[in-house]
Amino acid sequence: MLPALFVAHGAPLLAIENNVYTKFLNSLGHSLPKPKAIVLFSAHWESSVQKVSNVDEFETIYDFGGFPEALYRIKYPASGDETITKEITELFAKQGVPFEVNTARGLDHGAWVVLRLLYPHADIPVISMSVNPRLSPEEQYKIGSSLSSLREKDMLIIASGGTVHNLGALRMAGDNGKVDQWALDFDMWLEKKISNWDVESLFKYDTLAPNADFAVPPYGNEHFIPLFYAMGSADQEKSAKLLHRSYRYGNLSHSVWQFGELK
């Protein structure tokens, strides 16, 4: 059985950088058994109804602007898997989760930046999944839990986003290694609640966590909520492990959480 992962995708520049975080993701990909498939929830694919991809080969979406030309030359031509898409939709139907199948959308940078660092050869089938910020955390968690059986079949569930993601607070020009205390305080609260699997508190993070309105601003909660999808897929085990945490630009968190055990 493979664990589930919450992986911060950071800024698009990660795709062409060589730093402590990119090196960690490279090594993480090597440390896990090769998955049969990857089911990936991306913060950059929002929809009011759960979307499930059914694509033969994904196009690479450059959903950003003003970055070096090298980024726009990167391709990640992962393939889909119609059989696994069907299995996912059957699980959703069984659990009463509304869904729609999408046959056209490519992989956004929340997906391909992470996938390329973990599995650079694009040789593992990918099923791309949307997230819905308008759902409650309990509902997002339930969607993840409905897919828990996929992990028993050596499929890797990844949720891509970021625990602290406030674009208005970033210091892109002053990336000097100093981390804002408000970001640290939020992540420390989060670490305690996740490690203890205190979902009752986590579901109310917006009112209980210190600096929640700054760490997860109302316009940016789509980056935080993938955490609940990944966590839900390990509901039967209720085990969590912080694998990595570092910061860029003063407060942009690069957190990687593992949910469930590798068995």
Side-chain angles (χ1 to χ4, degrees):
M1 177 187 289
L2 288 176
L5 300 173
F6 172 81
V7 181
H9 62 249
L13 286 170
L14 280 178
I16 56 174
E17 290 179 328
N18 180 23
N19 56 42
V20 63
Y21 187 47
T22 61
K23 289 176 181 176
F24 169 77
L25 291 179
N26 289 155
S27 65
L28 179 60
H30 287 296
S31 69
L32 292 170
K34 186 175 181 178
K36 175 183 177 182
I38 298 170
V39 179
L40 189 143
F41 291 89
S42 173
H44 285 275
W45 189 7
E46 297 179 56
S47 66
S48 58
V49 177
Q50 180 64 54
K51 298 292 181 69
V52 186
S53 72
N54 185 19
V55 176
D56 290 335
E57 183 176 304
F58 289 96
E59 293 184 359
T60 305
I61 302 175
Y62 308 101
D63 51 335
F64 46 78
F67 287 93
E69 181 60 31
L71 276 175
Y72 303 93
R73 294 196 296 266
I74 293 174
K75 303 287 186 184
Y76 193 82
S79 299
D81 189 306
E82 185 174 7
T83 300
I84 296 174
T85 294
K86 185 174 185 293
E87 185 172 357
I88 290 171
T89 59
E90 288 174 349
L91 289 171
F92 282 156
K94 184 178 179 181
Q95 296 295 323
V97 176
F99 66 88
E100 294 176 358
V101 175
N102 180 285
T103 60
R105 193 177 189 278
L107 294 176
D108 57 65
H109 84 271
W112 65 259
V113 169
V114 167
L115 290 172
R116 187 168 175 267
L117 287 167
L118 290 169
Y119 301 107
H121 302 299
D123 56 351
I124 301 170
V126 174
I127 310 299
S128 184
M129 311 283 281
S130 67
V131 298
N132 185 356
R134 290 170 289 279
L135 294 178
S136 68
E138 292 94 333
E139 292 170 311
Q140 295 152 355
Y141 187 95
K142 177 187 174 185
I143 290 173
S145 66
S146 69
L147 301 180
S148 61
S149 63
L150 299 179
R151 295 178 43 233
E152 300 172 5
K153 300 178 180 180
D154 295 326
M155 298 185 208
L156 180 63
I157 295 175
I158 299 176
S160 170
T163 56
V164 180
H165 187 273
N166 186 333
L167 297 182
L170 298 184
R171 299 192 298 277
M172 298 293 289
D175 193 18
N176 57 10
K178 294 182 179 179
V179 184
D180 294 331
Q181 190 61 47
W182 61 264
L184 290 171
D185 289 345
F186 178 81
D187 266 345
M188 291 302 103
W189 181 92
L190 200 62
E191 179 180 354
K192 180 179 179 181
K193 301 304 179 184
I194 293 175
S195 298
N196 293 329
W197 211 270
D198 183 0
V199 293
E200 183 176 346
S201 295
L202 288 167
F203 291 165
K204 300 174 183 176
Y205 76 91
D206 54 340
T207 58
L208 296 180
N211 312 308
D213 58 341
F214 210 54
V216 187
Y219 61 83
N221 70 327
E222 78 285 342
H223 277 75
F224 182 76
I225 62 170
L227 182 75
F228 296 122
Y229 292 86
M231 199 171 183
S233 70
D235 178 67
Q236 292 180 334
E237 295 161 89
K238 294 180 172 60
S239 67
K241 183 186 303 181
L242 180 63
L243 301 182
H244 177 91
R245 183 168 57 220
S246 57
Y247 296 86
R248 295 290 299 278
Y249 316 118
N251 50 67
L252 183 65
S253 65
H254 289 163
S255 297
V256 179
W257 279 93
Q258 173 183 309
F259 300 112
E261 300 295 331
L262 176 62
K263 300 177 182 177

